[in-house]
Amino acid sequence: MRTDEERRGRSSGPRRSWASAQPFEPRPTPFNSSVARSLRWAEVSTGYQWRAVALDALAVVAVGLLLVVPVYGANLVTAGRVTVALLGFLALVAMFRGYDARTLGDGSTEVSALLRAGFVGATALMALSYTTKAEVSRLVVFAGIPTIVLLALAGRYLQRQFLHRHRARGVAMMRTLVVGDPAAVARVVGDLVRDPSHGFQVAGVCLPSVDDAPPVPGVPVVGAVADVPQVVADRAIETVVVAGSHMSGEALRRMSWALARAGAQLVVAPDLVEVTGPRLNLRPTAGLVLLEVQTGAPPSRMLAKAALDRGLGTCLLLLAAPVIGAAALAVRATSPGPAFYRQTRVGVDGRTFTLWKLRSMYLDADARRDAYLALTDRDGPMFKMRRDPRVTPVGRFLRRYSIDELPQLWNVVTGDMSLVGPRPPLESEVATYADHVHRRLHVRPGLTGLWQVSGRADLSWEESVRLDLRYVDNWSLAMDLLILWKTFRAVVGGSGAY
């Protein structure tokens, strides 16, 4: 017996039971040429996996030659130790899904896997030394393992850039079919098309009926929901994404049976917008699979973020002090007024604080602001001008490379700000916030954030809010480290800066 979901709407072909031994009709597919199939992720993912393993192994061998051999000497025992370290590190990375083809190329997942492998490896070595009294060099534990992780991160970064460049050209993609009601399909397709680096190449959509209008321009309706197994077989689909609430329960279960025979993966996109990995857990209960959504960050993660902010923030402030001093002298020498600019901003939970910056504008900039409001380049409450006449020549240089923001490291050290978080808003901006935008104030504002590494001032207000809310809902230590690295690249390139 077919479910109501299978019967709903007109299909493009004869209906077949999804529970049958043959839920689709085998026939030649136009996507069968060797050249076309070589572009699919299923055909090339194994090569990427082995390259990831080789890069991690190379990091361990390099540290073994440069650090372990000088400490323990060049002999068979040392070779055995390096071999054990090599196999152990690779096993730990695999345990934390560092080689999973489904997440390969996702920066946060790869960074998290390598950091966890390094931490567990160091802990295991210290525990081994304590329990067996074995001789384990502190240099190996406190310098060797961090170096392995750093080298592995560098190797993965290079491979990720290589993969992302391929995916931008349509190579190494998963041919994807999006299924559901038109509104949900449009939302999911928009998100997948917006960022091809994740590898989902939308080949078409299936709606409740073939008579429904295409919800996304340029993306064809290739069938109805009842046609999904046949479409998968005909178009060499690798992944089927079910969006919205059109299909659920028994219908999804039966579709998974049909897709297993067609050789495609089933992915369900829940209506939980922008909630990802760390906050989601599956809880099998009473024959059901419950999706548990974590409503708050655990204390351990909050403590780790605070330690990163205070520790790394202090180090960065000390390193930046000569640059801040030189820039302050340049500001004083080229325009009248103080070198530093103070402004009241809104921080976590609406509390105000004094934000410090190097002055990049003339003294009368605030008084002249109202005269330029109509010339803003932004579409929301944030005021920005690409050619702001209030900015001094020195200030333009400072802004291009974000040097004017370096004094905010003091705000990070004192706890008013974080290294990573949403942009600290003005009180006048907060007064115009829509209800959902206040969620940005749930965490400490950041020196950098997703908005900066995704386009900085080039982004629309709506897109900036979307990225900030995504960060607030899903932040993790691995995400913070990845954003800090991407910020360094964006600042050096001066991308999106006014």
Side-chain angles (χ1 to χ4, degrees):
M1 179 182 297
R2 294 186 179 94
T3 65
D4 290 338
E5 284 83 353
E6 289 180 77
R7 287 196 298 267
R8 188 179 302 161
R10 190 172 70 86
S11 60
S12 59
R15 297 176 180 273
R16 291 171 174 263
S17 170
W18 291 351
S20 68
Q22 195 61 54
F24 57 90
E25 180 184 348
R27 54 196 182 198
T29 168
F31 199 79
N32 250 342
S33 72
S34 60
V35 175
R37 292 188 68 86
S38 67
L39 303 180
R40 300 171 64 202
W41 181 239
E43 309 297 326
V44 300
S45 59
T46 301
Y48 280 93
Q49 287 175 299
W50 280 112
R51 275 192 286 274
V53 172
L55 288 169
D56 294 347
L58 185 61
V60 177
V61 172
V63 171
L65 293 175
L66 296 176
L67 190 63
V68 178
V69 171
V71 171
Y72 294 105
N75 51 57
L76 289 177
V77 175
T78 301
R81 287 174 172 170
V82 173
T83 301
V84 171
L86 172 63
L87 297 176
F89 184 71
L90 296 181
L92 287 172
V93 175
M95 183 176 70
F96 293 118
R97 297 179 59 198
Y99 305 122
D100 192 333
R102 292 171 296 180
T103 56
L104 206 59
D106 180 74
S108 296
T109 303
E110 291 188 331
V111 170
S112 177
L114 292 172
L115 290 178
R116 290 182 179 184
F119 176 77
V120 172
T123 303
L125 279 180
M126 289 187 288
L128 177 68
S129 176
Y130 178 78
T131 55
T132 66
K133 307 302 180 183
E135 181 184 352
V136 177
S137 171
R138 291 183 177 86
L139 186 64
V140 171
V141 175
F142 296 107
I145 292 180
T147 304
I148 289 173
V149 173
L150 288 175
L151 290 176
L153 286 172
R156 291 298 191 93
Y157 169 76
L158 294 176
Q159 176 174 260
R160 203 157 51 245
Q161 295 304 303
F162 179 74
L163 175 60
H164 290 175
R165 282 196 296 269
H166 271 199
R167 285 179 168 172
R169 299 196 301 266
V171 182
M173 302 289 280
M174 293 175 285
R175 285 181 58 81
T176 303
L177 179 70
V178 182
V179 181
D181 61 84
V185 164
R187 174 176 62 81
V188 171
V189 170
D191 289 341
L192 295 181
V193 172
R194 186 183 296 115
D195 190 356
S197 65
H198 293 292
F200 292 93
Q201 183 184 56
V202 180
V205 301
C206 284
L207 304 177
S209 172
V210 292
D211 299 322
D212 292 329
V216 182
V219 180
V221 177
V222 294
V225 171
D227 299 317
V228 168
Q230 190 65 58
V231 171
V232 168
D234 290 347
R235 296 176 177 266
I237 299 296
E238 298 176 80
T239 303
V240 174
V241 179
V242 176
S245 57
H246 176 73
M247 295 187 63
S248 60
E250 184 64 23
L252 275 178
R253 184 187 186 197
R254 292 162 68 87
M255 178 179 281
S256 70
W257 297 342
L259 294 182
R261 294 187 178 276
Q265 296 294 320
L266 174 63
V267 177
V268 179
D271 286 333
L272 287 168
V273 180
E274 300 286 7
V275 178
T276 59
R279 296 185 60 202
L280 301 178
N281 294 291
L282 294 179
R283 293 183 57 181
T285 303
L288 303 173
V289 179
L290 305 180
L291 184 64
E292 180 182 27
V293 181
Q294 190 179 79
T295 56
S300 58
R301 201 190 308 168
M302 297 292 292
L303 183 62
K305 185 175 178 65
L308 176 68
D309 286 339
R310 301 299 175 89
L312 184 57
T314 300
C315 293
L316 292 175
L317 181 60
L318 293 175
L319 291 173
V323 178
I324 295 173
L329 291 176
V331 171
R332 287 296 304 273
T334 55
S335 65
F340 294 94
Y341 175 73
R342 294 180 297 174
Q343 191 176 48
T344 299
R345 295 291 182 104
V346 180
V348 62
D349 293 332
R351 295 192 293 268
T352 58
F353 68 97
T354 300
L355 178 139
W356 288 85
K357 298 180 68 174
L358 283 163
R359 183 172 58 83
S360 60
M361 291 184 171
Y362 295 105
L363 280 180
D364 62 347
D366 287 339
R368 297 162 58 191
R369 182 176 185 270
D370 291 343
Y372 295 105
L373 285 178
L375 302 177
T376 180
D377 295 325
R378 299 300 296 266
D379 58 348
M382 190 190 306
F383 173 74
K384 286 284 186 180
M385 286 182 65
R386 190 170 294 277
R387 296 282 186 265
D388 196 329
R390 301 173 302 158
V391 180
T392 65
V394 168
R396 199 168 301 282
F397 175 83
L398 298 180
R399 285 186 167 204
R400 177 172 177 78
Y401 296 101
S402 299
I403 297 174
D404 63 316
E405 298 180 357
L406 289 178
Q408 293 173 37
L409 287 168
W410 175 252
N411 292 115
V412 174
V413 173
T414 57
D416 291 325
M417 293 178 60
S418 173
L419 287 172
V420 182
R423 171 188 169 275
L426 295 166
E427 291 180 288
S428 58
E429 294 171 358
V430 174
T432 66
Y433 277 3
D435 181 63
H436 71 285
V437 184
H438 284 85
R439 174 69 175 173
R440 297 173 77 246
L441 306 178
H442 183 67
V443 299
R444 283 184 174 83
L447 190 64
T448 183
L450 275 178
W451 60 273
Q452 184 163 13
V453 301
S454 303
R456 301 173 76 184
D458 297 329
L459 295 176
S460 67
W461 168 251
E462 181 181 351
E463 185 69 9
S464 298
V465 170
R466 188 181 70 84
L467 291 172
D468 280 341
L469 296 184
R470 177 191 294 177
Y471 175 80
V472 173
D473 285 344
N474 303 291
W475 71 267
S476 65
L477 197 61
M479 180 187 289
D480 280 6
L481 292 173
L482 189 62
I483 290 173
L484 288 172
W485 165 246
K486 288 186 176 181
T487 298
F488 173 76
R489 290 170 47 216
V491 169
V492 169
S495 61
Y498 281 8

